[in-house]
Amino acid sequence: MATPINLSESESQFFQDLVPPESFNIKKIQMEEFTKRHSLLKNRVVLITSGGTTVPLESRTVRFIDNFSIGTRGATSAEYFLKQGYAVLFLHRHRSLQPFFQRVEKNILDILSVSENDPTVITGEISYPSLAKSLAPVVKDYHKYKNEGMLSMVEFTTLTEYLILLRAASEAMQACGREGMVYLAAAVADFYVPRGLMPEHKIQSSEGALKLTLEMTPKMLKPLVKEWSPNAFVISFKLETDQSLLIEKSRNALLVYQHQMVIANILETRKKEVFIVTMDAEEILRLSDEELAAGREIEEPLIDKLVEHHTTLLLS
Amino acid sequence: MATPINLSESESQFFQDLVPPESFNIKKIQMEEFTKRHSLLKNRVVLITSGGTTVPLESRTVRFIDNFSIGTRGATSAEYFLKQGYAVLFLHRHRSLQPFFQRVEKNILDILSVSENDPTVITGEISYPSLAKSLAPVVKDYHKYKNEGMLSMVEFTTLTEYLILLRAASEAMQACGREGMVYLAAAVADFYVPRGLMPEHKIQSSEGALKLTLEMTPKMLKPLVKEWSPNAFVISFKLETDQSLLIEKSRNALLVYQHQMVIANILETRKKEVFIVTMDAEEILRLSDEELAAGREIEEPLIDKLVEHHTTLLLS
């Protein structure tokens, strides 16, 4: 169906310069086994990327450029995809939010107590019954999906690690054919410092003002759609601060990369409003302030919609 | 004892440009009450700064420059200071590691189970008794220090927030006089983009290579030592990638800023080797590979030493 293309010269050069991260081979096998197993089980599979990437400014890295993202969108979406029966391959930034874990970090030590009779017994019922109660379904869900093998986690930190793992992950998604979805929620750096231009040691602050020149990161969405995951349902994200550019830029991305869908959002309102943009239509999903205050999450209706779209496509 | 100085012109200008973070006043009062209370209780108090700072590149921020630090040094040091009887004012980067919490994040959901009889009862004993056992002392310590009011946490994210809070925190430390210690473990950005030079919206990647000019951040150690916390025992950190510069740069900092001590370390070996540098002496602390493998932490002997130094100074 898809026409194979060659990477442009700059993209090939970019990949040649990349050094695979430690444990790359283990992660690659983990991802391939995951997608193959779920393909055999006839489960739909979604590859979710989540969190920001870092761009080192020195080769022994003290400083780097980072993107704003702790990974709320990706981690929360993963939970709703699991609830819809999708197996989730979760490619995420080290220390960004993780599905289920994101809901316990804050107060966990306040909830727990050590039994006075047996110091190996930790219980959650004593201090704050209401918190323990809200935690209980999270603990249950986590164990359920873990025991069923529905969630596989793979970590990255730098832009380089992300790109190499993204290629391997989306190639692994070929096992799922059209049952596969690629949901690119990670905030990927648009600019990087080519390895040849990077100083080895920490840039000394005594040297005065710092001048940096960063090159544009080649867009990987094109090879992803054409070569790595040609049959998957591919969804990219567009985060802007300026409403006026949002829909136009989203549709432009669809034209250029030929994928199925863009989720567009504005930095300030991203938790209550998202646009689902396809070539023919744009759909807005919005939570009221009351819904937000009640703890409802925009990812719930969003994932509902995406699963609907995916089903429609599979039936067509 | 200390001669009051005026901030240099660039430092004053820098502070004038800063916009206090949301909830600044609440945090200021929290810090002042904490140091006053412990001063009355005759407790020694340490202000610990921890984690990296971000430097926004756009005023509605999508991108920023960050420093490598998840805050292990600060969070771990805080625990050992608490064990030595110090009250800890913990000024830390949002989402960086926190004392005690840092030891539970990883496996917490694997440890917990929901009781089958009562869904509001969560217990840690079933799944992994050995993990629950290692968690038990952490839970105990956390509740002990929390109940005693020995730990106060204040968060920052950007360089601006950090500097404004650092000034307020170290001014609050005046209440503790010589019983106070300032332990500057945060990785503070050396460079920033002045507000006037910052674009409002997300930098568009279609505009080609990105050229950035960053100004040097004024060094706040000088006003901290001379004006904000003139009686405290002040310890700064020096992290380098190049061993050859380490001790010389540390001693140079002591000369320039006139504080008591620099903890110097090299990026790659910072978990097993630190240098305690004063004007007259340098002392090395080192863990063997066996000690590291057994879970011993360099912060334990380090804090021991610092408390010894502090005691000696108080008796002199």
Side-chain angles (χ1 to χ4, degrees):
Chain A
M1 202 161 79
T3 329
I5 56 147
N6 292 317
L7 287 178
S8 74
E9 205 179 314
S10 71
E11 284 156 2
S12 314
Q13 184 59 46
F14 187 85
F15 266 104
Q16 274 172 28
D17 277 357
L18 300 186
V19 180
E22 237 180 292
S23 71
F24 170 70
N25 285 327
I26 292 166
K27 289 175 176 172
K28 186 165 184 279
I29 291 166
Q30 175 193 336
M31 298 190 291
E32 287 167 355
E33 284 181 352
F34 185 79
T35 55
K36 265 181 212 147
R37 180 159 49 82
H38 287 288
S39 160
L40 290 173
L41 292 167
K42 310 276 180 219
N43 288 329
R44 292 192 195 168
V45 180
V46 60
L47 163 63
I48 298 178
T49 69
S50 186
T53 60
T54 68
V55 172
L57 299 180
E58 300 133 333
S59 39
R60 301 216 255 168
T61 300
V62 174
R63 293 194 192 81
F64 49 86
I65 296 190
D66 208 330
N67 292 56
F68 173 78
S69 172
I70 58 168
T72 312
R73 180 80 81 207
T76 307
S77 299
E79 295 175 12
Y80 289 110
F81 274 117
L82 286 165
K83 284 172 191 168
Q84 294 268 5
Y86 281 61
V88 175
L89 178 51
F90 193 69
L91 182 58
H92 71 290
R93 161 77 173 272
H94 177 63
R95 287 187 53 72
S96 70
L97 294 182
Q98 297 180 19
F100 307 113
F101 285 90
Q102 65 168 330
R103 310 205 182 260
V104 292
E105 272 176 30
K106 269 284 175 200
N107 300 302
I108 188 66
L109 280 178
D110 292 306
I111 299 171
L112 300 177
S113 308
V114 178
S115 157
E116 282 180 23
N117 307 320
D118 179 350
T120 68
V121 174
I122 294 175
T123 157
E125 76 200 283
I126 300 169
S127 331
Y128 294 91
S130 66
L131 282 177
K133 201 169 173 177
S134 73
L135 184 59
V138 174
V139 173
K140 268 191 150 158
D141 280 347
Y142 172 74
H143 284 286
K144 171 173 147 59
Y145 297 119
K146 194 188 161 190
N147 293 339
E148 295 172 357
M150 293 298 278
L151 176 59
S152 182
M153 318 271 266
V154 177
E155 283 193 354
F156 62 86
T157 300
T158 65
L159 174 67
T160 301
E161 286 169 4
Y162 170 76
L163 291 173
I164 293 185
L165 287 167
L166 175 67
R167 182 170 62 175
S170 45
E171 284 174 350
M173 288 297 288
Q174 285 193 18
C176 309
R178 299 172 69 223
E179 306 285 321
M181 187 188 274
V182 177
Y183 181 86
L184 301 163
V188 183
D190 297 321
F191 297 98
Y192 76 108
V193 183
R195 208 146 48 102
L197 297 179
M198 214 183 277
E200 185 187 349
H201 288 296
K202 184 178 171 186
I203 300 163
Q204 293 303 321
S205 55
S206 54
E207 289 158 17
L210 179 65
K211 286 187 198 302
L212 292 177
T213 303
L214 298 123
E215 299 290 327
M216 259 175 75
T217 309
K219 299 290 181 197
M220 293 303 155
L221 195 47
K222 191 177 278 178
L224 190 154
V225 172
K226 292 283 178 194
E227 292 199 334
W228 305 340
S229 283
N231 298 313
F233 187 83
V234 178
I235 301 164
S236 72
F237 279 75
K238 188 63 80 187
L239 176 68
E240 294 290 336
T241 57
D242 185 352
Q243 176 88 49
S244 69
L245 296 168
L246 192 62
I247 302 298
E248 186 195 325
K249 291 193 68 172
S250 301
R251 199 145 284 141
N252 191 45
L254 289 171
L255 262 173
V256 173
Y257 304 117
Q258 298 283 311
H259 59 307
Q260 283 71 24
M261 194 175 274
V262 173
I263 312 296
N265 52 160
I266 295 291
L267 185 64
E268 277 91 352
T269 58
R270 67 195 186 283
K271 304 217 168 182
K272 54 182 292 190
E273 193 174 279
V274 296
F275 299 83
I276 300 179
V277 185
T278 59
M279 273 320 280
D280 334 303
E282 62 210 57
E283 206 171 339
I284 183 166
L285 298 178
R286 191 182 283 139
L287 294 184
S288 67
D289 291 338
E290 292 71 36
E291 288 176 304
L292 267 184
R296 192 161 149 82
E297 294 165 322
I298 189 85
E299 288 80 6
E300 189 177 356
L302 174 62
I303 305 313
D304 271 1
K305 274 285 167 200
L306 300 185
V307 171
E308 243 180 75
H309 278 281
H310 196 193
T311 303
T312 308
L313 193 81
L314 288 174
L315 294 175
S316 72
Chain B
M1 202 164 81
T3 329
I5 56 147
N6 292 317
L7 286 180
S8 74
E9 203 180 314
S10 71
E11 284 156 3
S12 314
Q13 184 56 47
F14 186 84
F15 267 102
Q16 274 173 28
D17 277 357
L18 300 186
V19 180
E22 237 180 292
S23 71
F24 170 71
N25 286 328
I26 292 166
K27 289 175 176 173
K28 188 165 183 279
I29 291 166
Q30 176 193 336
M31 297 191 291
E32 287 168 354
E33 285 181 350
F34 185 79
T35 55
K36 265 182 213 147
R37 180 158 51 82
H38 287 288
S39 159
L40 290 173
L41 293 168
K42 309 276 181 218
N43 288 328
R44 293 192 193 168
V45 180
V46 59
L47 163 63
I48 297 178
T49 69
S50 185
T53 60
T54 66
V55 172
L57 300 180
E58 299 134 333
S59 39
R60 300 217 256 170
T61 301
V62 174
R63 294 196 192 83
F64 49 87
I65 296 191
D66 208 329
N67 293 57
F68 172 80
S69 173
I70 58 167
T72 312
R73 180 80 82 209
T76 306
S77 299
E79 295 176 12
Y80 289 111
F81 274 116
L82 286 166
K83 283 173 192 169
Q84 294 267 4
Y86 281 62
V88 174
L89 179 51
F90 193 69
L91 182 57
H92 71 287
R93 161 76 175 273
H94 177 63
R95 284 188 55 74
S96 69
L97 294 182
Q98 297 181 19
F100 308 113
F101 285 90
Q102 64 166 329
R103 311 204 182 260
V104 293
E105 271 178 30
K106 269 286 175 199
N107 301 301
I108 188 66
L109 280 178
D110 293 306
I111 299 170
L112 300 176
S113 308
V114 178
S115 159
E116 282 180 24
N117 306 320
D118 180 351
T120 69
V121 175
I122 294 175
T123 158
E125 76 200 281
I126 299 170
S127 329
Y128 292 92
S130 66
L131 283 178
K133 201 169 173 177
S134 73
L135 185 58
V138 174
V139 174
K140 268 191 150 157
D141 281 347
Y142 172 74
H143 285 285
K144 171 173 149 55
Y145 297 119
K146 194 188 161 191
N147 293 339
E148 295 172 357
M150 294 297 279
L151 177 59
S152 182
M153 317 272 265
V154 177
E155 283 193 354
F156 63 84
T157 298
T158 64
L159 174 67
T160 302
E161 286 169 5
Y162 170 76
L163 291 173
I164 291 185
L165 288 167
L166 175 67
R167 182 170 61 174
S170 43
E171 284 174 350
M173 288 297 289
Q174 286 194 16
C176 310
R178 299 172 69 225
E179 307 284 322
M181 188 187 273
V182 177
Y183 182 85
L184 300 163
V188 184
D190 298 319
F191 297 98
Y192 76 108
V193 182
R195 210 147 46 104
L197 297 179
M198 217 183 275
E200 184 187 350
H201 287 296
K202 184 178 172 186
I203 300 164
Q204 293 303 322
S205 57
S206 54
E207 289 158 18
L210 179 64
K211 285 187 200 300
L212 291 177
T213 303
L214 298 123
E215 300 290 328
M216 259 173 75
T217 309
K219 299 290 180 196
M220 294 303 155
L221 196 46
K222 191 176 278 177
L224 189 153
V225 172
K226 294 281 178 195
E227 293 199 334
W228 305 340
S229 283
N231 300 312
F233 186 84
V234 178
I235 301 164
S236 73
F237 278 76
K238 188 63 84 185
L239 176 69
E240 294 290 335
T241 57
D242 186 352
Q243 176 87 47
S244 69
L245 296 168
L246 191 62
I247 302 299
E248 187 195 325
K249 291 195 68 171
S250 301
R251 198 146 283 139
N252 192 45
L254 290 171
L255 262 172
V256 173
Y257 304 116
Q258 298 282 313
H259 60 307
Q260 284 71 26
M261 195 175 274
V262 173
I263 312 296
N265 53 157
I266 295 291
L267 185 65
E268 277 90 352
T269 59
R270 68 196 186 284
K271 303 219 166 180
K272 54 182 293 190
E273 193 174 278
V274 296
F275 299 83
I276 300 179
V277 185
T278 60
M279 272 321 279
D280 333 304
E282 60 208 58
E283 208 173 338
I284 182 165
L285 297 178
R286 191 182 282 137
L287 294 183
S288 67
D289 290 340
E290 292 72 34
E291 287 175 305
L292 268 183
R296 193 162 147 80
E297 294 165 322
I298 189 84
E299 287 80 7
E300 189 177 357
L302 174 62
I303 305 314
D304 271 0
K305 276 284 167 201
L306 300 185
V307 172
E308 243 180 74
H309 278 280
H310 196 193
T311 303
T312 307
L313 194 83
L314 288 174
L315 294 175
S316 71

